[in-house]
């Protein structure tokens, strides 16, 4: 009897959970890692405990993305607006990249992961920049998953600086305004060496983009979950990818 019940349950589970198709894996997944502080508050701990556990979720997600065959994983680690948070919290967040890479970099190298960063380094502490620069240098020849940290990043600032770059080319006579194309803008953004995200994941139940990759996400599939970021696991990434595979990407057309 127990075997029959187990067999029935397994069939039901298999029917309810579509399998991931290896033929339709999103090439680039972007993640807004939200809810660290609320997760910590829920369990009666300081916000920094949430950020520490969020760091563990970064590793879990990177490993799962690599196993799935995702080529690019962009993690929204710190926005240009996050500087308004309490100084103690900001200082802690600025130490996290150094702590994360000190612990995980050797394994990332073993897994053939390439570390990148997009954002404004100018206002970051030297210890944060040094840790990322070292990780980028040591992984620059790796050919596996690209783990891209959006740090001190804001999409409106990115687009503004892109327009300023193109404007200076117009002023110098190297470019005419009518020559500007969407591809030219895309190639001037910080993500110019990556394809646009196929899939955006945001945790914690919030339903907004929060100034993240506004240009690049124009035709991305969006997936939101109530799970707080420190709780995010392999199965949640799989759930997002399965949903992505069930959607039809028409890019404004009728296909």
């Amino acid at each position: 009897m127990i075997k029959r019940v187990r067999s029935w349950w397994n069939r039901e589970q298999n029917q309810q959970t579509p399998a991931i198709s290896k033929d339709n894996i999103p090439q680039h997944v972007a993640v807004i890692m939200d809810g660290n502080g609320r997760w910590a508050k829920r369990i009666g701990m300081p916000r920094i405990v949430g950020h520490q556990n969020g760091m563990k979720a970064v590793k879990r997600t990177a490993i799962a993305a690599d196993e799935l065959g995702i080529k690019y994983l962009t993690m929204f680690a710190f926005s240009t607006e996050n500087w308004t948070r309490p100084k103690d919290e900001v200082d802690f967040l600025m130490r996290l990249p150094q702590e994360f890479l000190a612990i995980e970099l050797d394994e990332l190298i073993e897994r053939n992961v390439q570390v990148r960063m997009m954002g404004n380094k100018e206002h970051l502490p030297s210890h944060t920049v040094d840790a990322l620069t070292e990780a980028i240098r040591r992984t620059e020849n790796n050919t596996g998953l690209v783990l891209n940290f959006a740090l001190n990043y804001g999409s409106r600032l990115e687009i503004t600086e892109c327009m300023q770059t193109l404007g200076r080319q117009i002023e110098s006579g190297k470019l005419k305004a009518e020559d500007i194309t969407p591809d030219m803008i895309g190639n001037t953004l910080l993500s110019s060496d990556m394809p646009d995200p196929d899939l955006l994941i945001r945790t914690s139940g919030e339903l907004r983009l929060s100034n993240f990759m506004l240009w690049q996400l124009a035709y991305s599939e969006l997936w939101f979950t109530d799970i707080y970021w420190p709780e995010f696991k392999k199965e949640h990434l799989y759930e997002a990818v399965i949903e992505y595979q069930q959607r039809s990407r028409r890019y404004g057309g009728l296909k």
Side-chain angles (χ1 to χ4, degrees):
M1 179 66 180
I2 292 175
K3 289 182 179 179
R4 286 200 297 270
V5 170
R6 184 180 293 121
S7 176
W8 168 83
W9 173 255
N10 288 337
R11 285 199 306 271
E12 288 295 303
Q13 290 296 95
N14 290 335
Q15 290 173 1
Q16 292 172 12
T17 306
I20 291 181
S21 169
K22 291 296 184 179
D23 296 328
N24 188 21
I25 297 296
Q27 187 177 16
H28 185 176
V29 175
V31 183
I32 300 177
M33 305 178 289
D34 197 17
N36 290 345
R38 278 167 285 168
W39 176 82
K41 181 179 179 180
R42 190 182 67 189
I43 64 172
M45 300 297 287
R47 289 176 59 86
I48 61 172
V49 174
H51 296 311
Q52 286 175 324
N53 282 272
M55 189 170 63
K56 297 175 184 177
V58 170
K59 179 181 179 180
R60 288 196 300 267
T61 305
I63 292 173
D66 186 39
E67 291 174 349
L68 268 180
I70 293 166
K71 301 299 184 184
Y72 300 87
L73 182 65
T74 295
M75 317 292 275
F76 199 11
F78 190 89
S79 77
T80 50
E81 290 73 39
N82 287 154
W83 295 106
T84 61
R85 293 187 178 189
K87 185 178 183 303
D88 288 349
E89 182 174 350
V90 170
D91 289 345
F92 183 83
L93 288 169
M94 288 296 105
R95 290 195 298 271
L96 279 181
Q98 184 179 20
E99 181 180 340
F100 174 79
L101 292 168
I103 297 171
E104 308 296 352
L105 183 56
D106 287 344
E107 183 172 350
L108 293 175
I109 291 172
E110 288 177 7
R111 289 181 174 271
N112 198 27
V113 171
Q114 182 184 128
V115 176
R116 295 186 190 173
M117 175 205 158
M118 68 177 191
N120 191 334
K121 295 181 182 179
E122 184 178 345
H123 301 296
L124 295 174
S126 58
H127 60 81
T128 305
V129 175
D130 290 346
L132 283 162
T133 300
E134 174 70 4
I136 291 168
R137 182 190 65 80
R138 290 183 60 190
T139 63
E140 62 183 348
N141 294 320
N142 288 356
T143 57
L145 173 74
V146 172
L147 179 57
N148 180 44
F149 292 103
L151 190 64
N152 195 24
Y153 171 87
S155 188
R156 286 185 171 182
L157 177 61
E158 175 189 32
I159 294 171
T160 299
E161 291 179 342
C162 169
M163 294 301 102
Q164 291 171 345
T165 297
L166 296 177
R168 284 190 291 270
Q169 293 182 35
I170 293 173
E171 288 176 344
S172 68
K174 296 179 179 178
L175 184 68
K176 294 180 181 180
E178 55 268 28
D179 294 332
I180 295 176
T181 64
D183 284 344
M184 185 180 295
I185 293 171
N187 289 331
T188 312
L189 296 175
L190 296 173
S191 59
S192 60
D193 55 353
M194 299 184 294
D196 290 341
D198 301 294
L199 171 65
L200 169 77
I201 295 171
R202 180 165 188 157
T203 57
S204 87
E206 302 294 350
L207 306 177
R208 56 180 177 267
L209 297 181
S210 297
N211 195 22
F212 181 53
M213 300 187 82
L214 301 178
W215 178 277
Q216 299 91 328
L217 291 172
Y219 286 103
S220 304
E221 295 297 321
L222 311 182
W223 188 81
F224 301 98
T225 176
D226 291 335
I227 293 292
Y228 291 136
W229 178 245
E231 302 171 307
F232 196 83
K233 296 181 175 64
K234 175 179 179 177
E235 54 264 33
H236 301 118
L237 178 63
Y238 276 50
E239 184 181 350
V241 171
I242 287 170
E243 170 115 2
Y244 166 85
Q245 293 182 339
Q246 293 175 330
R247 298 182 186 178
S248 175
R249 304 183 72 192
R250 294 184 292 274
Y251 300 96
L254 297 177
K255 64 178 181 178

